[in-house]
Amino acid sequence: MRIIVVKGDITDQRADAIVNAANSSLLGGGGVDGAIHRKGGSEILEACRRLRASAYGRGLDAGQAVATTAGRLPAKWVIHTVGPVHSRSEDRSKTLASCYRESLRVADELGASTVAFPAVSAGIYGWPMDDAARIAVETVRATPTKVEEVRFVLFTDEAYEHFQAQM
């Protein structure tokens, strides 16, 4: 598997799947989640509402992943994963790692060969960027998958630098 780091907007990525750092409601929010829902259009929200009406009535648990259409995005699918909120008193790193493993598992089920990830939990969920980058890269490297290319797409210079330092 090829792993690359790029600076840019995940909503512009031409990939089989992009990963959404979603909130547990699956109904949109701020940051990456809001950007994906806005640019992808109502098709993504409608697909998320169908998920909530069926298997995910209470939402998606942290560390889990599920896929929907990508709507008007240049990707085929959006894989929604809910990262943990960072805590100084509780180690939630296994849950963060699970976001990457579960997203790759869903990508394999979809037959995706290219997947673009944001820095899950490193925005409003407060995960320190250096640790978020370490967990992301180590987990992706260690996860068996049929995905041929994983692209970490980082919006800020700081995020890009921390992820690049892990390569």
Side-chain angles (χ1 to χ4, degrees):
M1 169 188 17
R2 182 175 159 213
I3 302 173
I4 61 173
V5 177
V6 298
K7 185 167 181 286
D9 182 342
I10 199 162
T11 65
D12 293 332
Q13 295 299 303
R14 294 195 178 283
D16 291 329
I18 64 169
V19 176
N20 179 16
N23 67 49
S24 62
S25 77
L26 294 174
L27 301 177
V32 170
D33 194 17
I36 286 172
H37 276 270
R38 279 189 304 277
K39 196 164 181 182
S42 62
E43 298 91 341
I44 296 172
L45 181 57
E46 289 168 15
C48 286
R49 284 185 176 145
R50 285 191 298 276
L51 288 171
R52 287 295 305 267
S54 62
Y56 300 96
R58 295 183 315 154
L60 189 64
D61 291 336
Q64 298 302 303
V66 65
T68 65
T69 179
R72 294 180 290 217
L73 296 171
K76 293 178 187 174
W77 301 287
V78 174
I79 299 172
H80 306 267
T81 191
V82 179
V85 174
H86 183 260
S87 171
R88 291 177 194 234
S89 62
E90 181 183 347
D91 182 7
R92 298 177 178 167
S93 57
K94 288 181 181 167
T95 305
L96 181 55
S98 180
C99 292
Y100 292 95
R101 277 193 308 277
E102 286 296 303
S103 294
L104 289 171
R105 179 190 59 77
V106 170
D108 282 344
E109 288 175 0
L110 295 168
S113 61
T114 55
V115 178
F117 281 98
V120 177
S121 288
I124 61 172
Y125 284 6
W127 208 282
M129 191 61 73
D130 58 339
D131 196 42
R134 179 189 61 76
I135 291 167
V137 173
E138 286 179 1
T139 302
V140 166
R141 280 188 179 137
T143 302
T145 181
K146 294 179 183 124
V147 172
E148 296 170 11
E149 180 183 284
V150 167
R151 204 177 301 155
F152 289 107
V153 182
L154 297 312
F155 196 69
T156 66
D157 289 335
E158 176 200 9
Y160 176 83
E161 290 165 10
H162 282 290
F163 274 75
Q164 192 62 43
Q166 296 298 316
M167 299 308 288

